[in-house]
C-alpha cells in the first residue's frame, strides 16, 4: 500500500512538473526578449518598432484565440489539444530561432507560438482539474500559476544572459528542447475520453476573436498612439486617436457576440461557451485574475525601468534584483495550500492583495534619486508573497465554479482575463508614467532659475507630446548634441531625474489603486476552501485517483 501511495505521489509530481513546465514556457516569451529588442533588431536588419510589434502580436493572437482554443480542447480532448499546441509552439520557436528577417520572426514567434499557446494554456487548466483531487488542486494551480509568473520575472535575466554571452536565438532553440522534454513526460498526464463531441460555434468564435483582438490591440497601442488625443506622429480618425475607435469597435463586436450567444442558447444549439459560466460565481475568479495580472504586469513593467534605467543596472543585474519576487511567489503559491489547507479562499486572496498593496506603497516611499538597488528587496518580497497567495487560490476557485467537463472553456476564459489584464496593466503603467514624467519635467524646468526661459519654452514646444524614459547617460548625450552648456545641462539633468521618479511613483500609485479596487471585489470569492467537505461543488463527488 505504501508503494502504491508512493507511486501515485511520484506520478502526481511528474504530472505537476510537466504542466508547470508548459505554463513556464508559454509565459516566458512575454518578457524574455524585452532587454534584447535592440540586439534582435540589429541582427534582423529591422527596426525596434518591428520587434516590439512581434511581442504585441504574440499577446494579441493569444487573447483572440484563447477561448476558441479551450473549446477545441473540449472537442478533441484536453491532452490532445495540449500536445498539438505544443507541436505548433515548438515549430514556431524553431522558426524564430532560425528567422533570417522580420516576416519570418513574426510568423514563428507571434503567429505559430500564439496559436500554440492558445491551445496549451486552457488545456493546462483542464488537465490540472482532471489529474488532481479537489483537495490537491489549490496547490497544483498555485504552482502552475507561479511557474508562469516566475517565467515573466526571470525572462529578462534569461534573455540578458543569452544575448550577452551567446545569441538571442538560443532562447528559442532552448524552448524547443524544453518542449521536447514536456512531450516525453506528458505520457503520465491522464485525460478523460471525449464523450458527446462538442461542436465549434464558428460565428461566435469570429465575433469573440475580433472583439478581443481589437480591444487588446487598442490597449497595447495606447502608449504609441495616445488614448484619446493622437500623438504627433500617430494616425488619427476624425481627429481622435485610433485607440478609442479600436476599443469601441471591439466592444461592439463583443456586444454582437453576446447577442449571438443568447440566440444560440435559446435555440438549443451549442454556443462557444455556456452563458452560465459568466453568470455564476466564476465571474469573481475571472475578475480577480484580471486584477492580479493588471498589477503584476504593471510591476514587472515599472521595476525593470527603475533598476535598469534610473539606477543604470545591467540586464543581468536587473534580473537578479527581481529574483526575491520570484522566490516568495513560489513560496506563497506552494506554501499556502500546504500549511493552510482549510483557509478561506476569500481571506487568502484578500491578504494577498493587502501584501501586494503594502509592497507597492513601500516602493513608492523607497525609490529616490540616491536610492540603491537594495531598496526594492523587501517590497518585492511582500509583492511576491501576495501574488503567490493569489496564485494558490484563483485557479481552483474558477474551475470549481463550473462542472468539470467545462474546464477547457473555463481555462479559455481564465487566460483571456489574464491576457487582457496583462495588456491593460502594461499599457496603463506606461502611459501614466510618461504622462507624469512629462508634466513634472516641464513644470520643473519652467520653475528652475538655472534654466533660461527660452530653453524652457523650447522644451514645452518640442516635448509636450511626451518625454521618453531614458537613462542619465542618454540624456547627457542628447544635451551635449544639442549644444547645451554645462550649468544648464546639469540643471536639466537634475529636473529630469526628479521627474523620472515622479513618473515611476505615479505609475506605482495607479497599480496601488487597482489593488485597492481588487480588495473591494474579493467579496465575490467563495469563503469555503475548494475540495473541502464544506465546498458544495464537491459534495458527493468521489476523489480523483491522482494527486
Amino acid at each position: 500500500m505504501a508503494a502504491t501511495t508512493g507511486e501515485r505521489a511520484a506520478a502526481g509530481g511528474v504530472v505537476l512538473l510537466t504542466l508547470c513546465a508548459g505554463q513556464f514556457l508559454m509565459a516566458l516569451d512575454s518578457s524574455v526578449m524585452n532587454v534584447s529588442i535592440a540586439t534582435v533588431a540589429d541582427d534582423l536588419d529591422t527596426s525596434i518598432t518591428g520587434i516590439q510589434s512581434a511581442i504585441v502580436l504574440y499577446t494579441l493572437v493569444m487573447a483572440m484565440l484563447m477561448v476558441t482554443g479551450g473549446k477545441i480542447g473540449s472537442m478533441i480532448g484536453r491532452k490532445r489539444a495540449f500536445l498539438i499546441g505544443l507541436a505548433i509552439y515548438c515549430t514556431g520557436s524553431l522558426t524564430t530561432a532560425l528567422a533570417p528577417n522580420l516576416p519570418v520572426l513574426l510568423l514563428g514567434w507571434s503567429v505559430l507560438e500564439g496559436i500554440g499557446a492558445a491551445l496549451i494554456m486552457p488545456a493546462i487548466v483542464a488537465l490540472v482539474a482532471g489529474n488532481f483531487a479537489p483537495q490537491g488542486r489549490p496547490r497544483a494551480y498555485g504552482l502552475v500559476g507561479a511557474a508562469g509568473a516566475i517565467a515573466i520575472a526571470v525572462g529578462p535575466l534569461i534573455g540578458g544572459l543569452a544575448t550577452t554571452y551567446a545569441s538571442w536565438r538560443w532562447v528559442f532553440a532552448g524552448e524547443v528542447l524544453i518542449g521536447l522534454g514536456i512531450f516525453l513526460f506528458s505520457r503520465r498526464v491522464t485525460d478523460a475520453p471525449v464523450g458527446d463531441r462538442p461542436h465549434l460555434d464558428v460565428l461566435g468564435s469570429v465575433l469573440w476573436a475580433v472583439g478581443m483582438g481589437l480591444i487588446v490591440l487598442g490597449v497595447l497601442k495606447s502608449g504609441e498612439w495616445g488614448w484619446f488625443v493622437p500623438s504627433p506622429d500617430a494616425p488619427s480618425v476624425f481627429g481622435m486617436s485610433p485607440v478609442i475607435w479600436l476599443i469601441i469597435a471591439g466592444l461592439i463586436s463583443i456586444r454582437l457576440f453576446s447577442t449571438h450567444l443568447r440566440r444560440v442558447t435559446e435555440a438549443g444549439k451549442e454556443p462557444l461557451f455556456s452563458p452560465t459560466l459568466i453568470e455564476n460565481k466564476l465571474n469573481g475568479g475571472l475578475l480577480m485574475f484580471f486584477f492580479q495580472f493588471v498589477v503584476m504586469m504593471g510591476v514587472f513593467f515599472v521595476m525593470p525601468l527603475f533598476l535598469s534605467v534610473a539606477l543604470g543596472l545591467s540586464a543581468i543585474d536587473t534580473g537578479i534584483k527581481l529574483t526575491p519576487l520570484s522566490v516568495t511567489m513560489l513560496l506563497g503559491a506552494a506554501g499556502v495550500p500546504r500549511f493552510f489547507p482549510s483557509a478561506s479562499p476569500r481571506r487568502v486572496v484578500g491578504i494577498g492583495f493587502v501584501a501586494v498593496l503594502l509592497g507597492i506603497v513601500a516602493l513608492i516611499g523607497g525609490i529616490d534619486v540616491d536610492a540603491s538597488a537594495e531598496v526594492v528587496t523587501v517590497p518585492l518580497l511582500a509583492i511576491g508573497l501576495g501574488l503567490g497567495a493569489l496564485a494558490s487560490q484563483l485557479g481552483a476557485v474558477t474551475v470549481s465554479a463550473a462542472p468539470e467537463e467545462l474546464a477547457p472553456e473555463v481555462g479559455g476564459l481564465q487566460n483571456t482575463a489574464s491576457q487582457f489584464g496583462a495588456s491593460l496593466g502594461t499599457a496603463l503603467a506606461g502611459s501614466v508614467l510618461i504622462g507624469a514624467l512629462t508634466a513634472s519635467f516641464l513644470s520643473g524646468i519652467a520653475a528652475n532659475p538655472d534654466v533660461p526661459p527660452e530653453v524652457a519654452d523650447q522644451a514645452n514646444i518640442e516635448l509636450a507630446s511626451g518625454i521618453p524614459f531614458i537613462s542619465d547617460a542618454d540624456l547627457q548625450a542628447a544635451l551635449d548634441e544639442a549644444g547645451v552648456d554645462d550649468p544648464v545641462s546639469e540643471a536639466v539633468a537634475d529636473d529630469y531625474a526628479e521627474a523620472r521618479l515622479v513618473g515611476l511613483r505615479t505609475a506605482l500609485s495607479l497599480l496601488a489603486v487597482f489593488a485597492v479596487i481588487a480588495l473591494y471585489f474579493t467579496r465575490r470569492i467563495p469563503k469555503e476552501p475548494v475540495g473541502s467537505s464544506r465546498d458544495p461543488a464537491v459534495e458527493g463527488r468521489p476523489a480523483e485517483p491522482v494527486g
Side-chain angles (χ1 to χ4, degrees), residues 17-18 21-22 24-26 28-29 86-95 97 113 169-186:
L17 178 62
T18 301
F24 182 93
L25 193 60
M26 297 305 98
L28 186 63
D29 277 359
L86 188 62
I88 296 172
Y89 189 92
C90 289
T91 301
S93 295
L94 182 60
T95 302
E113 289 193 22
R169 297 179 185 273
W170 284 104
V171 173
F172 295 96
E175 289 182 347
V176 177
L177 296 177
I178 295 174
L180 291 174
I182 294 172
F183 185 86
L184 292 175
F185 283 104
S186 64

Side-chain angles (χ1 to χ4, degrees), residues 526-546:
K527 292 182 179 179
E528 306 303 336
V530 175
S532 72
S533 58
R534 294 170 288 163
D535 182 4
V538 297
E539 285 182 359
R541 183 192 303 170
E544 285 79 349
V546 180

Side-chain angles (χ1 to χ4, degrees), residues 298-523:
V299 169
F300 283 141
F301 175 82
V302 172
M303 293 319 299
L305 288 179
F306 171 68
L307 293 169
S308 64
V309 178
L311 299 187
L313 300 185
S314 66
I316 296 173
D317 288 337
T318 297
I320 292 173
K321 292 301 179 184
L322 292 174
T323 302
L325 188 151
S326 303
V327 171
T328 51
M329 187 183 298
L330 181 60
L331 292 176
V336 171
R338 181 176 180 83
F339 297 107
F340 307 99
S342 60
S344 165
R346 183 183 299 179
R347 180 172 297 176
V348 173
V349 171
I351 292 173
F353 273 115
V354 168
V356 170
L357 178 61
L358 291 176
I360 293 174
V361 171
L363 285 174
I364 294 171
I367 59 175
D368 204 346
V369 175
D370 300 321
S372 67
E374 283 67 30
V375 75
V376 307
T377 302
V378 173
L380 289 182
L381 288 171
I383 293 172
L385 195 60
L387 292 174
L390 297 175
S392 75
Q393 303 296 315
L394 295 183
V397 165
T398 55
V399 174
S400 69
E404 193 169 306
E405 61 270 16
L406 296 180
E409 287 91 333
V410 173
L413 290 170
Q414 172 184 308
N415 283 290
T416 299
S418 301
Q419 291 298 322
F420 183 54
S423 303
L424 187 64
T426 303
L428 283 176
S431 60
V432 167
L433 186 153
I434 296 301
L437 165 66
T438 302
S440 176
F441 178 67
L442 293 180
S443 62
I445 62 172
N448 193 329
D450 295 327
V451 178
E454 59 271 17
V455 174
D457 292 341
Q458 184 180 0
N460 269 287
I461 295 172
E462 296 184 2
L463 303 176
S465 60
I467 299 173
F469 193 93
I470 58 177
S471 66
D472 292 338
D474 289 340
L475 175 64
Q476 191 59 54
L479 292 172
D480 292 342
E481 185 177 349
V484 179
D485 57 43
D486 289 343
V488 175
S489 177
E490 184 177 345
V492 169
D494 289 342
D495 285 332
Y496 182 82
E498 185 59 40
R500 192 167 51 197
L501 289 175
V502 170
L504 290 167
R505 293 190 187 112
T506 305
L508 288 170
S509 298
L510 176 67
L511 299 178
V513 169
F514 272 102
V516 172
I517 296 173
L519 279 170
Y520 173 79
F521 285 106
T522 55
R523 65 181 66 184

Side-chain angles (χ1 to χ4, degrees), residues 33-34 37-38 40-41 46-59 102 105-106 109-110 220-221 224 301:
M33 284 292 105
N34 286 1
I37 290 176
V40 179
T46 187
S47 64
I48 291 177
T49 303
I51 306 304
Q52 289 173 329
S53 299
I55 299 174
V56 168
L57 188 57
Y58 173 65
T59 303
L102 180 61
L105 182 84
L106 290 171
W109 188 356
S110 306
L220 290 170
K221 299 295 285 186
E224 180 182 348
F301 175 82

Side-chain angles (χ1 to χ4, degrees), residues 27-71:
L28 186 63
D29 277 359
S30 299
S31 65
V32 71
M33 284 292 105
N34 286 1
V35 298
S36 309
I37 290 176
T39 303
V40 179
D42 290 340
D43 195 15
L44 298 181
D45 193 24
T46 187
S47 64
I48 291 177
T49 303
I51 306 304
Q52 289 173 329
S53 299
I55 299 174
V56 168
L57 188 57
Y58 173 65
T59 303
L60 192 64
V61 170
M62 285 195 294
M64 291 173 65
L65 301 180
M66 200 67 75
V67 171
T68 302
K71 188 67 174 183

